[in-house]
Amino acid sequence: MKIIDAGGHVRLLIFLILLAPIQLYASSKTIQGNVRDIQNNEIIGATVIVYHEDRLLGGAATDLDGKFKINLSAESDDTLIVQISSIGYSKQSRKVIVNQDTTSIQCLLEEKPIEVETVVVTPNTRKTAYKTTTQKEQIIRASNHSLIASDPIQAIKQPQVIKVGSNHSSKIRINGTSPKYYINGLDIGYDPNHYGMFSIVPAPILSEINLYPQGTSARYGLPSAIELTTAKPFKKHFSNEFNLSVLEATGTMSWGKDDYFFLTSVRKSILDRLVDQFESHSNRKKFPPANFRDIFITAGLRLTKNHRLLIDQYYVDDYLRYISDPSLRNPDGIYISQNSNESYLGVRFEAIGQNLLLKTGGAIKSSSEKYFAKPELLNHQSDFVVDLKTKRHLVTGNIETMILIGSSSFSIGNAMEHTARRDIDLNHSNWNFLPPDYISDNPYIYQRAINQLFKNYSTSDSELNNATYVSYEHNIEYLKIETGIRSEYFSKLAGSRTMLFRQSLIIQAGENSNIELFYGTFAENPINRLTEAYQILIHDSLHKLKPIGIRLASVSFLRNPLKISLFHKTLSDMPVLTPDFDYRDPDGTIREGFLTMNSDDRLRIYGGDISLQIDGFIRPEFNIFTY
């Protein structure tokens, strides 16, 4: 107030100071807008460039809302060319008349059959044979029609996929081997299921599932992979849902705003509770009640328009108890109990810049598994007792940078898996190279030797596995070429380092036709769950074993709705039991070292399939899938 009262000159000076930013603002022009796809979803990281004739005037990338803003000088011509492009979409150019300070435009991009492994941009209507994307609506529909109303694996239907167990099982094999599972880019291991029945990750919290049955990029360790992606509802909302099925009840709740979200799902078994409420004359030999619960939480925070922090956490606990069918050796059946639990905490950071995408994350996972079996009427002469206990504390992390250069993309990344501690305590007097709950009266040729050498086995160790990969992808009109190199390190194996190579070629032969060629090499650690066959011998001989080598060559032809695929897979350096008779005394007594595993086995697989899938046949709700 004192300054204003000083006189007219001071008031004039203040007026000029206030006018300065107004004049500065008026000395520029602005083009702003929004870029979306034909389904009205925002396109993140799209490149927007402004030209006049051959002169570049400015550019920007769309933010997480698909918005952009470009400031131009006041001397810019009124008629300009705005070019919008994004990987997976058709490039679009349009004339814009800039005759005012701010000009707004809206742009819709049409999808093209191009895929980037770290960002899914393939539309449903034009799938490629080596990758299938299942969207949220399909996942929910498939799970709602299954025995388990929250099982997302029921949405995976491909010729190469074979379910292990019943038709409602979630334990699957792809081209004869187990796939690796990923959640939001982080490896969570093999078969993340309750008793092989259904996935521990519930369907309501997923946004999509990516299945790679016929080869993967250098980013993945195995030729078959399943990637689960959770929803990221960065918008103002609140919703809750409750599902009830024969076996379980699932409740889901989600809320958030533009800058954050919180999504949680809680699931609990109910069949075991129902059985306890009724008088039962069954000894539960045929259908064992399952007791389980799992909690999944995912949350996100938008730090800036181009930076996000996300957290995933789940806890799983299950307990199974039943009496098996009788056998000649155990006429009263076998009492079996299994208890397993797993906790997981993962943190992810995503940054989007102009022609740049950075993803990094880490996770801590702790798990334990207990398995116990004995004859229902145990007598002192019986030697069938199984008591297995394992614990594992795992730390994983990855970082990946993808750079977009015109119609090409370049990715480099590193994935680490460190087993900080692994405790194994096995007591088993009936090792027969079959799962302990598998009823078999057929003795193995070295049955007695295994029982003597490995009746009691305990160990504690640690392990470090690491992979570095580089991938380059280039698109030329109707041709997509992807080349990748991957280097893997296994600290506990004899052949600890290995170099791997991936090459894929996709030719768009028509509007809905693709020809795809793939060749790649892979390496797999032979260590698996301790209750599976041969695992006790694999752990005991780990220092002698090499990584399992895998070579996959495949060719696929896709012409919607028909797909034809052929493949050849070779597995080398597989562990095989090798007895050493130098460790046997003249009286027939065997010593430690008589039975070991060596990497000498080889397996060749030839396969092919033909499939036909028609969605909305005759009526929208009527779909056909046959192979």
Side-chain angles (χ1 to χ4, degrees):
M1 295 295 295
K2 292 180 181 179
I3 295 177
I4 296 177
D5 293 338
H9 294 289
V10 175
R11 288 193 295 270
L12 177 61
L13 178 61
I14 294 175
F15 176 77
L16 294 175
I17 293 174
L18 294 174
L19 183 62
I22 300 175
Q23 292 175 334
L24 179 63
Y25 179 80
S27 65
S28 64
K29 297 179 180 179
T30 300
I31 297 179
Q32 63 183 22
N34 187 280
V35 180
R36 294 178 174 269
D37 61 19
I38 57 177
Q39 280 81 35
N40 203 35
N41 298 316
E42 61 270 11
I43 298 177
I44 303 172
T47 302
V48 184
I49 301 174
V50 179
Y51 290 95
H52 176 67
E53 296 180 348
D54 295 330
R55 185 162 57 96
L56 176 63
L57 301 181
T62 56
D63 60 19
L64 296 176
D65 296 318
K67 298 179 180 179
F68 69 91
K69 184 176 182 181
I70 301 174
N71 293 323
L72 305 172
S73 64
E75 293 77 21
S76 300
D77 294 270
D78 289 343
T79 303
L80 304 175
I81 301 296
V82 177
Q83 180 180 288
I84 305 100
S85 62
S86 180
I87 295 294
Y89 297 88
S90 299
K91 184 184 297 184
Q92 186 177 125
S93 296
R94 58 197 299 182
K95 287 185 178 181
V96 176
I97 298 176
V98 185
N99 54 12
Q100 51 188 354
D101 294 340
T102 301
T103 302
S104 298
I105 63 173
Q106 302 293 323
C107 182
L108 295 178
L109 297 185
E110 294 184 358
E111 297 156 321
K112 289 185 65 176
I114 300 173
E115 300 177 9
V116 178
E117 299 303 334
T118 56
V119 180
V120 179
V121 293
T122 304
N124 286 338
T125 55
R126 304 174 74 176
K127 301 174 183 176
T128 57
Y130 80 91
K131 172 183 176 180
T132 301
T133 300
T134 306
Q135 302 293 347
K136 184 176 184 65
E137 294 76 12
Q138 299 169 286
I139 297 171
I140 297 298
R141 184 169 61 248
S143 62
N144 284 340
H145 287 81
S146 68
L147 181 65
I148 309 296
S150 57
D151 184 11
I153 306 302
Q154 301 302 321
I156 299 179
K157 293 181 173 64
Q158 284 293 304
Q160 299 92 350
V161 175
I162 302 298
K163 289 197 174 185
V164 178
S166 72
N167 194 40
H168 298 289
S169 172
S170 280
K171 194 172 183 180
I172 62 177
R173 297 289 183 268
I174 300 178
N175 291 337
T177 55
S178 298
K180 264 294 185 75
Y181 285 76
Y182 297 80
I183 183 163
N184 296 322
L186 292 174
D187 184 352
I188 59 173
Y190 301 91
D191 296 328
N193 303 304
H194 289 285
Y195 324 117
M197 293 168 59
F198 58 96
S199 174
I200 63 176
V201 181
I205 61 100
L206 293 179
S207 62
E208 64 184 25
I209 300 176
N210 291 317
L211 168 66
Y212 303 83
Q214 290 279 45
T216 57
S217 70
R219 181 179 181 276
Y220 299 92
L222 294 183
S224 299
I226 296 174
E227 186 162 29
L228 308 173
T229 303
T230 60
K232 305 181 187 70
F234 280 106
K235 59 183 178 180
K236 186 177 181 180
H237 73 286
F238 176 81
S239 64
N240 57 77
E241 182 180 347
F242 181 79
N243 286 318
L244 184 65
S245 69
V246 176
L247 294 181
E248 48 84 36
T250 302
T252 305
M253 182 169 58
S254 174
W255 75 84
K257 292 186 178 181
D258 294 340
D259 294 329
Y260 67 87
F261 74 87
F262 182 85
L263 174 61
T264 182
S265 177
V266 180
R267 181 164 51 184
K268 181 70 177 71
S269 59
I270 60 173
L271 180 62
D272 56 318
R273 303 297 181 185
L274 291 176
V275 171
D276 291 338
Q277 298 300 317
F278 297 96
E279 181 180 357
S280 174
H281 299 287
S282 169
N283 59 5
R284 302 182 186 177
K285 292 181 179 180
K286 298 299 182 182
F287 192 83
N291 184 346
F292 60 85
R293 58 180 175 174
D294 53 53
I295 302 172
F296 197 103
I297 299 172
T298 181
L301 178 64
R302 181 173 288 171
L303 304 175
T304 68
K305 288 186 176 181
N306 297 328
H307 300 84
R308 295 187 295 186
L309 182 68
L310 302 111
I311 298 175
D312 303 312
Q313 184 175 9
Y314 66 75
Y315 175 78
V316 179
D317 181 65
D318 52 41
Y319 182 73
L320 182 65
R321 180 181 57 190
Y322 64 100
I323 301 173
S324 70
D325 288 331
S327 63
L328 294 177
R329 188 177 181 185
N330 298 286
D332 296 301
I334 298 174
Y335 169 83
I336 297 173
S337 68
Q338 175 180 315
N339 177 225
S340 62
N341 60 72
E342 183 173 299
S343 61
Y344 173 95
L345 174 62
V347 179
R348 297 174 285 136
F349 174 75
E350 299 176 356
I352 299 175
Q354 188 170 357
N355 300 328
L356 177 68
L357 173 64
L358 172 66
K359 288 187 175 182
T360 183
I364 300 174
K365 184 168 73 171
S366 297
S367 60
S368 68
E369 185 175 6
K370 298 178 182 179
Y371 190 99
F372 181 80
K374 69 177 183 63
E376 172 65 6
L377 297 178
L378 181 64
N379 55 65
H380 296 291
Q381 289 74 34
S382 176
D383 61 353
F384 184 91
V385 176
V386 179
D387 189 4
L388 312 179
K389 302 183 185 72
T390 65
K391 289 184 178 180
R392 188 186 186 196
H393 300 282
L394 181 70
V395 178
T396 62
N398 68 358
I399 182 171
E400 181 179 77
T401 301
M402 184 176 67
I403 304 172
L404 305 179
I405 307 173
S407 58
S408 303
S409 65
F410 179 81
S411 300
I412 182 170
N414 188 85
M416 178 273 295
E417 179 185 90
H418 174 52
T419 301
R421 184 180 177 89
R422 177 170 48 206
D423 297 319
I424 301 171
D425 184 13
L426 310 179
N427 298 280
H428 198 332
S429 58
N430 191 46
W431 292 103
N432 58 3
F433 289 151
L434 294 170
D437 55 349
Y438 189 93
I439 308 304
S440 173
D441 293 317
N442 298 321
Y444 185 69
I445 184 173
Y446 296 115
Q447 182 82 47
R448 294 183 60 186
I450 298 170
N451 292 343
Q452 292 179 35
L453 294 174
F454 298 100
K455 183 174 182 178
N456 304 108
Y457 182 85
S458 298
T459 185
S460 180
D461 65 349
S462 60
E463 183 180 15
L464 175 64
N465 300 326
N466 192 77
T468 302
Y469 57 90
V470 178
S471 181
Y472 176 74
E473 178 184 309
H474 185 63
N475 299 279
I476 311 172
E477 291 295 331
Y478 300 105
L479 185 67
K480 172 188 170 183
I481 303 172
E482 184 174 359
T483 301
I485 299 175
R486 183 180 175 96
S487 173
E488 295 214 32
Y489 170 74
F490 302 93
S491 65
K492 301 287 288 187
L493 302 181
S496 58
R497 297 186 182 275
T498 179
M499 290 295 296
L500 308 168
F501 175 76
R502 315 283 169 83
Q503 180 69 63
S504 68
L505 175 66
I506 303 177
I507 305 170
Q508 186 178 347
E511 182 65 22
N512 291 304
S513 301
N514 284 336
I515 299 173
E516 304 182 7
L517 305 173
F518 178 87
Y519 176 80
T521 56
F522 306 82
E524 182 177 11
N525 195 328
I527 294 178
N528 210 327
R529 293 179 62 238
L530 265 297
T531 55
E532 296 193 1
Y534 290 92
Q535 286 300 307
I536 187 172
L537 292 176
I538 288 177
H539 274 269
D540 189 62
S541 308
L542 203 56
H543 62 285
K544 301 172 57 178
L545 298 178
K546 301 177 183 178
I548 299 174
I550 305 174
R551 295 178 182 270
L552 174 67
S554 67
V555 56
S556 302
F557 172 75
L558 171 66
R559 183 177 179 85
N560 280 340
L562 179 68
K563 182 174 71 175
I564 302 173
S565 300
L566 299 171
F567 73 90
H568 174 216
K569 182 189 292 185
T570 302
L571 287 78
S572 59
D573 295 325
M574 296 174 61
V576 61
L577 178 63
T578 306
D580 189 342
F581 291 94
D582 291 337
Y583 291 87
R584 188 179 65 170
D585 296 335
D587 61 355
T589 304
I590 58 174
R591 304 190 307 273
E592 185 177 352
F594 176 70
L595 294 179
T596 60
M597 303 291 283
N598 288 306
S599 299
D600 295 329
D601 210 357
R602 179 182 292 267
L603 175 67
R604 291 183 178 179
I605 304 173
Y606 298 87
D609 57 77
I610 301 175
S611 65
L612 180 70
Q613 180 172 353
I614 304 176
D615 296 331
F617 180 73
I618 301 178
R619 296 179 60 87
E621 63 273 14
F622 185 37
N623 302 323
I624 294 177
F625 177 76
T626 182
Y627 67 91

